[in-house]
């Protein structure tokens, strides 16, 4: 597994790139044994419908295009689609909206993703001038930059370190199953974070990794976005 | 490497002066006037034959004996010449107190680096420049211009000389004694990591405290800090927390404060006690200086002031403390020593008329009770019923002594200037006093945090 990751990362660097595509980031995650939400790639509406049925409604539809920088802002992401009919409508609206924002955008296709619900966490890594590789854990989601409820530790980390990090999260109460949200399996979370720590240790070339959010669902943790930057 | 700085047999004071108007005077006086210092002193000043009763020499080269430590107090322009002379003389260690180097400009930085290079090549090590100096109270050596604190088990490394002095004064006022103190200034040679590594191995040092603005090699600092916390409690106050603070730190010690986030993470992960204010810093140092670690987080609180106990209880949640449940046996035991009006619950409000002897009995019962991990007497000194201002403190310390000082005691005494006699007894008895419920609660928290570190 780790040698395969290394080969992929080396190839990307050889191409002179530093930012992994979403698909590449997902491949790395998969090789590392980190759980992801279900996702399929579709070229057109019919394929979208087929894939959506394979995954099972409700689903998320996202546009895939390297020209579309701000996916959400341009209407390129739609959550909670619950039927074939709704998917067809959303598909057409999305194409129109994205074309309005980016008239010359080349659309490569669509991703159909499993809709997951639960507590949104952030797990990430960075490279500090003074301390080298660091790992972050906190409350994730779109407000992460506002609340900054994230703690850091130096890589490598132990289970005790992760448990201390959890203790430090201001909003740690949401991990206990707040208002019907699933309770976060702390041992699973520890293993997930330790796993990330190991990947970074083995692949120092990864400068930053951003998993936001990692959703703690009823069935366990699922990363639904991954951004990996080399340096 | 660092040991020689703290245990010199011969000391040269370069720029020694008896003139109180000169900067070097304070260091000279601190060294010369300390009768417990056995090291031989050699004042160096070409303009005098004798300084404070000691023969003065015009250069270190004229001193008839080998010199272990030279303290340089002369103006910055003359420092490189003196350093050259020290190298020629084979002086083992040098402290450059003089300012005017890397903290000023690039030229100054170049000069200090050249001095360090020459010295280390010759096997001579340097602390400074731009520092207030060092102390080893265990041998009565105060090679700094800070006042001499009492002897104790705390050693402090500080990146800010004046703030280090402020902490030292505050600690002295609160009755905390020192083993060693060092301000490293611009750290052109000996750096913080070197110093704390020495504190780790130094037998007299039982508590390590650091005022920190930046670190040179973050990873190395982290690794060493992790080793130290395994054997000694280590308390850190970090300056340069916000970007405004970082700016001030930069112009202050001549280096940029590293990102607080990562340094904070490293300090916590290494198992040190991170403090956010001077008050917390001094409180944590005091807690570790006097207290054994508790076996758990259950506190027993008794008081002659119900209100103070309420204030203490406000911090239970925030600091992870628990009020111990009083057992039937315990209630039975204290029954003869409380008036019938007293409800036997924790916190135990013994009401204003409770006397020193009753405080002794209740404290003793708590020290002997297996359900109580930390004992907290909370007293507003009574000014009525002919009670002595110190009888409660004497009572609880007597109970601590009689039970072998096995559990932490965190006495809260709140009485402004009535505290003076209590502080005197605390110093004689080698016992702590906390000035507010919050202080004692924080002290309990840091002790419990460290206890938990060793739990698994």
């Amino acid at each position: 597994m780790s040698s395969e990751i290394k080969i992929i990362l080396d190839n990307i660097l050889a191409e002179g790139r530093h930012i992994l595509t979403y698909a590449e980031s997902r491949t790395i995650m998969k090789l590392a044994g980190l759980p992801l939400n279900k996702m399929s790639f579709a070229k057109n509406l019919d394929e979208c419908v087929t894939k959506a049925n394979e995954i099972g409604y409700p689903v998320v539809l996202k546009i895939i295009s390297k020209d579309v920088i701000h996916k959400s802002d341009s209407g390129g992401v739609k959550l909670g689609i619950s039927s074939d009919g709704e998917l067809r409508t959303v598909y057409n609206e999305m194409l129109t909206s994205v074309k309005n924002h980016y008239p010359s955008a080349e659309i490569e296709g669509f991703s159909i993703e499993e809709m997951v619900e639960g507590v949104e966490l952030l797990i990430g890594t960075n490279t500090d001038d003074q301390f080298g590789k660091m790992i972050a854990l906190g409350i994730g989601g779109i407000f992460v930059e506002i609340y900054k409820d994230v703690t850091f530790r130096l890589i490598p980390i132990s289970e005790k370190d992760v448990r201390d990090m959890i203790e430090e999260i201001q909003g740690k109460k949401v991990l206990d199953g707040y208002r019907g949200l699933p309770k976060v399996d702390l041992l699973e979370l520890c293993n997930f974070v330790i796993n990330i720590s190991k990947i970074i240790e083995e692949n120092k070339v990864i400068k930053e990794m951003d998993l936001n959010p990692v959703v703690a669902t009823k069935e366990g943790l699922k990363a639904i976005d991954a951004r990996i930057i080399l340096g | 490497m660092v040991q020689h700085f703290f245990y010199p047999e011969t000391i040269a004071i370069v720029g020694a002066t008896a003139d109180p108007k000169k900067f070097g005077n304070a260091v000279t006086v601190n060294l010369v006037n300390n009768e417990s210092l056995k090291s031989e002193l050699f004042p160096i000043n070409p303009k005098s034959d004798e300084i404070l009763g000691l023969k003065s020499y015009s250069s270190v080269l004229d001193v008839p004996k080998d010199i272990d430590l030279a303290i340089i107090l002369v103006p910055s322009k003359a420092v490189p010449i003196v350093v050259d002379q020290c190298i020629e003389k084979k002086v083992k260690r040098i402290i450059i107190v003089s300012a005017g180097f890397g903290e000023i400009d690039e030229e100054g930085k170049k000069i200090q680096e050249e001095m360090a290079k020459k010295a280390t090549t010759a096997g001579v090590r340097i602390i400074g420049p731009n520092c207030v100096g060092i102390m080893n109270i265990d041998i009565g050596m105060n090679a700094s211009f800070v006042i001499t604190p009492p002897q104790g088990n705390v050693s402090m490394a500080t990146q800010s000389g004046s703030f280090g002095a402020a902490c030292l004064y505050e600690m002295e006022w609160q009755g905390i004694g020192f083993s060693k103190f060092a301000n490293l200034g611009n750290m052109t040679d000996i750096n913080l990591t070197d110093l704390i590594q020495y504190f780790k191995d130094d037998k007299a040092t039982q508590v390590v405290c650091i005022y920190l603005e930046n670190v040179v090699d973050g990873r190395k600092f982290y690794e060493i800090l992790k080793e130290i916390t395994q054997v000694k409690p280590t308390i850190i106050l970090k300056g340069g927390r916000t970007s405004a603070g970082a700016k001030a730190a930069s112009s202050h010690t001549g280096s940029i404060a590293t990102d607080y986030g990562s340094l904070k993470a490293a300090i916590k992960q290494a198992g040190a006690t991170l403090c956010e204010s001077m008050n917390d810093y001094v409180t944590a140092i005091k807690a570790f200086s006097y207290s054994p670690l508790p076996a758990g987080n259950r506190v027993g609180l008794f008081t002659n002031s119900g209100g103070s106990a309420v204030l203490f209880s406000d911090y239970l949640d925030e600091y992870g403390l628990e009020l111990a449940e009083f057992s039937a046996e315990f209630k039975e035991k204290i029954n003869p020593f409380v008036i019938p009006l007293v409800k036997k619950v924790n916190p135990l409000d013994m009401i204003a008329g409770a006397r020193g002897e009753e405080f002794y009995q209740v404290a003793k019962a708590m020290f002997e009770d297996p359900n109580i991990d930390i004992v907290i007497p909370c007293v507003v000194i009574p000014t009525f019923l002919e009670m002595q201002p110190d009888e409660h403190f004497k009572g609880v310390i007597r109970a601590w002594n009689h039970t072998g000082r096995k559990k932490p005691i965190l006495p809260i005494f709140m009485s402004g200037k009535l505290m003076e006699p209590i502080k005197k007894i605390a110093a004689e008895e080698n016992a702590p006093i906390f000035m507010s419920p919050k202080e004692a609660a924080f002290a309990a928290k840091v002790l419990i945090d460290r206890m938990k570190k060793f739990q698994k």
Side-chain angles (χ1 to χ4, degrees):
Chain A
M1 143 214 142
S2 66
S3 61
E4 276 177 83
I5 293 177
K6 198 180 171 310
I7 291 164
I8 295 172
L9 297 179
D10 285 347
N11 285 341
I12 291 164
L13 281 176
E15 287 170 26
R17 288 191 294 130
H18 286 89
I19 302 173
L20 275 68
T21 64
Y22 183 37
E24 286 165 345
S25 294
R26 283 186 70 104
T27 307
I28 301 292
M29 298 278 293
K30 225 177 271 177
L31 287 169
L34 293 165
L36 293 152
N37 64 337
K38 284 183 226 160
M39 191 271 253
S40 289
F41 183 73
K43 282 234 176 294
N44 52 42
L45 179 57
D46 286 345
E47 274 185 40
C48 282
V49 174
T50 314
K51 297 289 164 67
N53 279 287
E54 281 168 22
I55 289 168
Y57 289 108
V59 296
V60 180
L61 182 69
K62 284 185 195 167
I63 201 129
I64 296 180
S65 165
K66 60 177 177 343
D67 304 322
V68 178
I69 318 275
H70 299 291
K71 250 188 286 193
S72 294
D73 297 345
S74 60
V77 177
K78 180 76 182 171
L79 308 178
I81 302 163
S82 56
S83 66
D84 289 357
E86 193 183 347
L87 179 56
R88 286 174 202 282
T89 317
V90 167
Y91 179 92
N92 290 317
E93 282 171 2
M94 187 177 284
L95 267 183
T96 315
S97 175
V98 170
K99 286 272 181 200
N100 279 341
H101 283 85
Y102 300 97
S104 57
E106 193 185 315
I107 310 297
E108 293 145 46
F110 297 83
S111 78
I112 313 283
E113 301 183 20
E114 171 193 14
M115 180 80 194
V116 291
E117 277 175 307
V119 180
E120 295 192 337
L121 302 170
L122 172 137
I123 299 170
T125 73
N126 68 322
T127 307
D128 182 84
D129 288 348
Q130 275 293 316
F131 294 95
K133 302 295 178 193
M134 310 272 302
I135 191 155
L137 170 66
I139 302 297
I142 56 171
F143 296 124
V144 70
E145 300 264 348
I146 310 271
Y147 295 119
K148 294 185 175 138
D149 191 2
V150 176
T151 66
F152 285 83
R153 288 294 184 273
L154 279 63
I155 288 171
I157 53 164
S158 65
E159 184 180 329
K160 187 189 175 294
D161 292 331
V162 187
R163 297 216 177 248
D164 287 347
M165 291 174 94
I166 294 167
E167 277 306 303
E168 258 175 57
I169 298 171
Q170 302 280 326
K172 68 180 176 212
K173 278 206 172 120
V174 304
L175 275 59
D176 293 336
Y178 183 71
R179 290 206 164 196
L181 284 169
K183 202 169 149 63
V184 179
D185 180 341
L186 295 185
L187 185 63
E188 188 195 7
L189 181 58
C190 284
N191 289 334
F192 192 106
V193 177
I194 290 166
N195 200 348
I196 302 274
S197 167
K198 278 184 191 149
I199 296 166
I200 302 298
E201 256 197 294
E202 286 163 11
N203 300 281
K204 296 247 159 55
V205 64
I206 298 175
K207 193 172 153 219
E208 284 168 51
M209 182 186 247
D210 211 8
L211 308 179
N212 183 26
V214 173
V215 183
T217 70
K218 281 196 287 275
E219 301 97 49
L221 295 172
K222 283 179 187 182
I224 63 167
D225 204 359
R227 193 175 159 78
I228 296 175
I229 298 170
L230 310 179
Chain B
M1 171 172 73
V2 177
Q3 166 93 6
H4 293 302
F5 280 103
F6 288 101
Y7 290 92
E9 282 175 19
T10 48
I11 306 172
I13 314 163
V14 186
T17 169
D19 181 357
K21 288 191 181 67
K22 298 247 171 79
F23 202 60
N25 178 257
V27 182
T28 314
V29 170
N30 279 339
L31 280 166
V32 176
N33 286 0
N34 195 329
E35 279 162 18
S36 52
L37 178 63
K38 299 284 175 279
S39 318
E40 206 172 340
L41 300 173
F42 299 98
I44 311 291
N45 189 333
K47 290 181 195 138
S48 317
D49 296 327
E50 194 194 287
I51 289 169
L52 300 170
L54 295 170
K55 178 177 161 51
S56 174
Y57 298 84
S58 59
S59 145
V60 284
L61 296 168
D62 301 332
V63 176
K65 284 195 175 175
D66 288 345
I67 297 170
D68 290 337
L69 178 65
I71 294 145
I72 301 177
L73 308 165
V74 299
S76 59
K77 282 202 167 53
V79 172
I81 304 160
V82 174
V83 169
D84 285 345
Q85 290 170 344
C86 287
I87 294 170
E88 192 183 333
K89 174 74 183 165
K90 296 194 166 63
V91 169
K92 286 199 189 82
R93 298 290 181 262
I94 297 171
I95 299 170
I96 306 172
V97 172
S98 318
F101 297 93
E103 80 281 10
I104 305 282
D105 55 18
E106 279 303 311
E107 177 62 18
K109 199 172 170 212
K110 230 176 82 189
I111 294 171
Q112 75 180 30
E113 278 166 6
E114 277 166 15
M115 291 191 298
K117 204 176 153 203
K118 269 197 223 169
T120 47
T121 310
V124 181
R125 305 305 300 261
I126 296 177
I127 284 179
N130 182 31
C131 68
V132 304
I134 72 166
M135 301 181 194
N136 178 1
I137 305 306
D138 299 336
I139 64 162
M141 178 181 78
N142 181 356
S144 82
F145 52 83
V146 179
I147 58 160
T148 313
Q151 205 264 331
N153 59 7
V154 176
S155 287
M156 180 190 279
T158 175
Q159 281 188 336
S160 163
S162 53
F163 184 73
C167 290
L168 186 143
Y169 296 153
E170 180 64 26
M171 285 159 69
E172 193 215 12
W173 189 77
Q174 294 201 26
I176 305 168
F178 277 79
S179 172
K180 319 238 168 9
F181 170 94
N183 167 231
L184 299 175
N186 296 356
M187 300 194 290
T188 191
D189 175 20
I190 298 291
N191 65 35
L192 191 69
T193 311
D194 301 327
L195 182 65
I196 60 174
Q197 191 151 28
Y198 169 68
F199 284 165
K200 183 192 119 205
D201 300 327
D202 177 45
K203 286 206 171 59
T205 300
Q206 274 152 36
V207 179
V208 177
C209 57
I210 307 168
Y211 171 73
L212 192 65
E213 286 175 356
N214 66 325
V215 290
V216 181
D217 180 346
R219 274 283 162 172
K220 194 172 171 209
F221 173 75
Y222 166 70
E223 296 298 342
I224 288 176
L225 193 57
K226 212 157 78 173
E227 285 174 27
I228 300 174
T229 64
Q230 282 301 320
V231 287
K232 290 171 189 179
T234 308
I235 303 104
I236 300 179
L237 176 62
K238 163 78 179 76
R241 193 172 139 194
T242 60
S243 49
K247 214 169 171 189
S250 167
S251 55
H252 189 189
T253 42
S255 49
I256 300 154
T258 46
D259 177 55
Y260 181 70
S262 50
L263 185 50
K264 185 168 140 180
I267 291 168
K268 287 182 182 173
Q269 196 172 356
T273 303
L274 177 66
C275 294
E276 309 260 333
S277 70
M278 179 169 163
N279 189 35
D280 282 356
Y281 183 56
V282 174
T283 301
I285 295 167
K286 191 164 43 174
F288 287 118
S289 177
Y290 285 107
S291 299
L293 289 186
N297 70 341
R298 299 163 305 174
V299 304
L301 182 60
F302 59 110
T303 185
N304 65 353
S305 153
S308 313
V310 170
L311 267 175
F312 182 92
S313 303
D314 285 346
Y315 295 102
L316 291 170
D317 259 9
E318 186 183 343
Y319 291 152
L321 317 177
E322 208 181 291
L323 287 173
E325 190 94 29
F326 290 161
S327 64
E329 198 192 344
F330 176 82
K331 287 179 192 168
E332 183 91 358
K333 212 168 171 184
I334 63 166
N335 198 43
F337 310 111
V338 294
I339 56 173
L341 222 57
V342 170
K343 266 177 87 182
K344 289 184 211 66
V345 293
N346 195 5
L348 184 71
D349 182 1
M350 295 166 66
I351 312 183
R355 292 184 177 270
E357 175 60 20
E358 285 135 25
F359 265 64
Y360 164 76
Q361 294 292 351
V362 170
K364 188 161 167 281
M366 286 195 176
F367 284 123
E368 287 165 354
D369 190 301
N371 300 312
I372 294 170
D373 304 309
I374 300 172
V375 177
I376 306 187
C378 178
V379 174
V380 175
I381 295 175
T383 51
F384 40 81
L385 292 174
E386 297 183 313
M387 282 190 264
Q388 296 301 310
D390 57 7
E391 65 179 72
H392 297 80
F393 189 72
K394 279 182 173 164
V396 297
I397 298 304
R398 188 154 56 94
W400 196 35
N401 291 339
H402 285 178
T403 51
R405 296 195 167 199
K406 291 193 183 79
K407 291 180 187 176
I409 184 170
L410 308 172
I412 307 165
F413 276 72
M414 296 171 291
S415 299
K417 63 186 177 191
L418 293 177
M419 290 296 286
E420 289 311 322
I422 312 272
K423 280 169 66 178
K424 208 171 143 251
I425 298 162
E428 284 164 16
E429 287 282 351
N430 197 31
I433 323 164
F434 294 86
M435 314 292 177
S436 71
K438 189 184 180 186
E439 271 190 17
F442 184 72
K445 173 204 155 30
V446 299
L447 292 171
I448 291 164
D449 282 351
R450 187 159 169 82
M451 173 271 295
K452 282 186 185 157
K453 176 178 158 64
F454 296 110
Q455 235 170 15
K456 40 188 167 181

